[in-house]
Amino acid sequence: MDARPVLDGLRVLDLTRNLAGPMCTMLLGDLGADVVKIEHPSGGDDTRQWLPPAWNGRSATFLAANRNKRSMAVDLDTPEGRSLVLRLAAGADVVVESFKPGSLDKRGLGFETVRATNKRVVWCSISAYGNTGPWRDVAGYDPVLQAKTGIMSLTGEPDRSPVRLGIGAIDLGTAMWSAVGILAALRERDTTGLGGLVEASLYETSTWWLSYFITGYLAGGDVPNRQGTRTAFIAPYEVFPTADGEIMIAAANNTLFRSLVGALGLAALLDDPRFSTNADRVAHREQLRARIVLALESDTATAWEQRLNAASVPCSRVRTVDELLNDEQLSALGLLTEVAHPDIADLRLVDMPIRRNGRRAERLRRPPELGEHTNEILAELQE
């Protein structure tokens, strides 16, 4: 018999949209919680309209962030909608919301209102800049926060304009930190019997991603800048060209450097004082790069990847998403999961990137249609 999902029996009221909030509540659903997703009857979650790409008419972004949920169509700007959400919140273990700070309070749906009737509720507020401070009321999305906090100034080639990260790392990071905070609050509730307030924001997550850059600046006063594929304080640690493509090599210590130059046929570099230590190699990065490039141009990226892996040098040729999906390692880990869907015969979603007792997501429900479970949830409220 399968073990009981760790969050089985917990009700999560999901008042979020876009990406950070829905990814957070999906994680809770993956762990077994019953997630009730509240969506506006007209259009629902914004990500339902974020297409292409689409899968049989459904937004791929929505599908990726909303499994293991039930959808209920409710208009929070009507008295009936507000009353219904208050009733749901009164019986919820967790409420996750991503409204503009103060917006739910104006509707009579804020944390203090709900806590007055539900002392056990764990309330998670996700915002762009946090619930206090001069930027509290300013709107923000992932790439805006990348620009605001300096991440974008570090992304791209040094002689070209900054670029955004190719993934919504700030949204996804905020989702994970929110889930961590919620789980911590639930653990505390086990002891005290009381819920509490968890606050997360894109701004705080983005700043946290910069932790070692910030510490480095405080230590030395040098403003970090764009390095392309390089890391400023390690060499060789970047993408190099080969005879037919590119390969990322990360020789982050002396042992790895010795293995690298041995595999490249450049063992003589070990006797060159310019490359004795990592600090030396950083100081003479361009000279070192020139020697490595000359060696790598003699063979293909695939051949070098195999050779360097055999020498235990961390590396990978630069691959595309379609190559990832054909990766034997991905298949071996079982990270891509088939999800039964009446209108998408081959729906596959990336599962949780962790396993507990050999399992990933502990519950598997397909992403819902807009308002699909409205009547079902209403009937439960009458019981």
Side-chain angles (χ1 to χ4, degrees):
M1 180 179 293
D2 289 341
R4 181 185 180 192
V6 67
L7 297 185
D8 187 48
L10 290 180
R11 167 68 63 85
V12 176
L13 182 61
D14 182 355
L15 302 177
T16 71
R17 57 187 184 275
N18 298 327
L19 199 55
M23 288 294 288
C24 167
T25 54
M26 185 179 76
L27 291 174
L28 301 177
D30 285 352
L31 292 172
D34 174 24
V35 180
V36 174
K37 181 178 180 69
I38 302 299
E39 301 188 72
H40 194 281
S42 176
D45 190 321
D46 292 351
T47 56
R48 289 188 184 273
Q49 284 73 53
W50 288 5
L51 46 86
W55 205 337
N56 197 19
R58 275 79 167 179
S59 160
T61 304
F62 179 85
L63 292 172
N66 287 282
R67 66 171 172 259
N68 288 325
K69 302 178 186 180
R70 297 189 290 166
S71 173
M72 187 174 193
V74 179
D75 185 353
L76 297 185
D77 291 322
T78 66
E80 297 80 9
R82 290 192 292 271
S83 175
L84 179 57
V85 168
L86 276 177
R87 290 172 61 195
L88 288 168
D93 295 283
V94 178
V95 176
V96 187
E97 60 91 5
S98 61
F99 280 74
K100 184 177 179 181
S103 179
L104 286 179
D105 294 298
K106 293 177 182 177
R107 291 178 169 91
L109 298 173
F111 170 57
E112 296 297 341
T113 300
V114 172
R115 186 169 63 168
T117 58
N118 183 357
K119 298 294 186 184
R120 291 176 54 81
V121 69
V122 171
W123 184 284
C124 179
S125 173
I126 299 174
S127 61
Y129 292 98
N131 291 323
T132 58
W135 287 88
R136 173 180 183 268
D137 297 323
V138 176
Y141 281 88
D142 186 299
V144 175
L145 271 297
Q146 291 185 35
K148 173 68 73 176
T149 59
I151 284 180
M152 197 172 287
S153 75
L154 302 174
T155 311
E157 297 296 334
D159 58 346
R160 302 183 66 179
S161 297
V163 297
R164 64 175 289 272
L165 293 171
I167 58 172
I170 301 175
D171 278 329
L172 300 178
T174 303
M176 291 189 292
W177 279 119
S178 298
V180 169
I182 289 167
L183 294 175
L186 287 171
R187 180 66 183 91
E188 183 178 42
R189 191 182 73 171
D190 290 342
T191 302
T192 67
L194 299 174
L197 177 62
V198 175
E199 297 175 280
S201 71
L202 305 186
Y203 185 86
E204 289 162 286
T205 296
S206 187
T207 301
W208 190 85
W209 286 144
L210 290 165
S211 294
Y212 61 86
F213 286 101
I214 290 172
T215 303
Y217 170 73
L218 293 173
D222 295 324
V223 178
N225 50 35
R226 292 187 293 285
Q227 298 286 325
T229 63
R230 296 176 173 178
T231 294
F233 45 82
I234 306 174
Y237 202 94
E238 60 185 283
V239 166
F240 294 90
T242 69
D244 69 344
E246 295 179 309
I247 186 169
M248 178 72 201
I249 297 174
N253 58 48
N254 290 335
T255 298
L256 291 174
F257 180 68
R258 286 193 293 271
S259 298
L260 171 64
V261 296
L264 293 176
L266 298 174
L269 295 183
L270 296 176
D271 298 323
D272 190 324
R274 295 176 299 174
F275 311 131
S276 295
T277 67
N278 178 68
D280 294 326
R281 295 190 287 272
V282 169
H284 300 93
R285 186 192 299 272
E286 294 305 330
Q287 296 95 320
L288 178 58
R289 176 180 170 82
R291 298 293 298 274
I292 293 175
V293 167
L294 189 62
L296 289 172
E297 287 178 344
S298 67
D299 213 335
T300 66
T302 298
W304 281 118
E305 182 179 35
Q306 293 171 347
R307 201 171 302 161
L308 295 178
N309 279 334
S312 299
V313 177
C315 70
S316 176
R317 61 187 178 84
V318 178
R319 303 196 299 173
T320 54
V321 171
D322 60 308
E323 291 180 285
L324 168 65
L325 295 179
N326 292 316
D327 195 334
E328 292 180 353
Q329 183 66 19
L330 185 70
S331 177
L333 290 171
L335 193 53
L336 198 62
T337 300
E338 294 183 2
V339 180
H341 194 291
D343 299 315
I344 305 176
D346 59 343
L347 179 62
R348 286 161 292 162
L349 300 173
V350 178
D351 210 330
M352 292 192 79
I354 57 172
R355 285 184 283 191
R356 189 177 76 91
N357 299 326
R359 298 188 305 172
R360 294 192 184 277
E362 301 185 25
R363 182 165 288 159
L364 196 59
R365 180 195 295 266
R366 65 172 172 81
E369 300 297 302
L370 175 58
E372 179 180 351
H373 304 95
T374 301
N375 291 335
E376 175 181 298
I377 297 167
L378 285 173
E380 292 173 0
L381 284 175
Q382 304 304 319
E383 294 177 357

